[in-house]
Amino acid sequence: MPGAKADTASHLQRGPATGGWNWPATLAARGAAPLAPQHLRRRPQPPSSQRLHCFVLDCSGSMAAGGALARAKGVLLALMEQAYRRRERVALLSFAGTRVELRLPPRKAAAWNDDWVNAIGAGGGTPLGPAIAQAAQLLARGGGEGWLWLLTDGRARDWPARPAEAAQLRVVDFEQGRLRLGRAQALARAWGADCLRAEDWS
């Protein structure tokens, strides 16, 4: 029936800024009746301006070898450009040796050039645990929907637990060479996160 199809479409598209299905609200609206399109409810989605992307950049010695860090900086700039176009907020942490540095406190994304990332050096170990802990603190204080992006080759000794403060997690894998250990992919699996390859930005 044409009328029934139009009614279904109108309910499926309810609200321009919505998230996934809100099943508790849907079942409450249904009551004891059979499930019908008019019962469907969606979760509200925060405005994009409330989203905070926290980028965590691995600057360890293994990332410096073979140009992985240079590629990671390029990907970082591309991601920040996307955030700028969507009027979202960004933050940047870098980690290497025994230090974690807050390179960019949470703020609205701006138009970037590569001058400021060129100065980020590399060398030493991979203090991944402290870096993720600091990122979790930034996301907890940031409000809105927190996204954590880890740009790394995965060659860290410690595997921190999945940060509960991150609504979304992305691991970008920069491991290169013939012998690949797949640690970034394994970490993403342990976190239940998406793992993207550096080659995806080529």
Side-chain angles (χ1 to χ4, degrees):
M1 298 173 60
K5 290 183 179 179
D7 182 64
T8 299
S10 66
H11 285 288
L12 289 176
Q13 296 170 4
R14 179 177 309 189
T18 55
W21 296 117
N22 185 335
W23 289 111
T26 295
L27 296 176
R30 183 196 71 174
L35 183 64
Q38 62 266 27
H39 301 136
L40 295 173
R41 300 292 185 272
R42 287 185 180 272
R43 292 192 301 269
Q45 189 176 60
S48 61
S49 61
Q50 295 301 311
R51 185 172 294 159
L52 172 61
H53 296 274
C54 182
F55 301 105
V56 183
L57 178 63
D58 182 352
C59 297
S60 62
S62 61
M63 283 287 288
L69 181 58
R71 296 181 67 188
K73 289 178 180 180
V75 171
L76 174 63
L77 286 172
L79 292 170
M80 291 219 172
E81 175 65 22
Q82 292 179 12
Y84 169 63
R85 292 179 180 178
R86 296 169 183 163
R87 298 185 179 181
E88 296 169 339
R89 294 177 299 142
V90 295
L92 172 63
L93 292 165
S94 65
F95 62 100
T98 59
R99 298 180 59 187
V100 180
E101 296 186 49
L102 179 60
R103 295 280 181 172
L104 186 69
R107 52 168 288 181
K108 283 188 177 180
W112 307 100
N113 58 50
D114 57 4
D115 292 342
W116 68 280
V117 296
N118 286 337
I120 300 177
T126 314
L128 179 58
I132 297 302
Q134 191 165 333
Q137 293 174 8
L138 289 178
L139 293 174
R141 296 195 301 263
E145 184 184 50
W147 286 47
L148 190 150
W149 296 80
L150 174 61
L151 288 73
T152 182
D153 59 4
R155 302 205 172 196
R157 293 182 178 179
D158 58 332
W159 274 20
R162 186 190 197 281
E165 295 81 0
Q168 297 287 338
L169 277 163
R170 301 287 187 273
V171 178
V172 186
D173 183 8
F174 289 90
E175 188 175 27
Q176 36 187 18
R178 293 183 178 179
L179 180 60
R180 300 195 180 193
L181 303 178
R183 290 179 179 173
Q185 296 178 20
L187 177 60
R189 286 195 299 269
W191 278 356
D194 291 334
C195 186
L196 310 174
R197 299 176 304 170
E199 291 84 355
D200 295 337
W201 273 270
S202 298

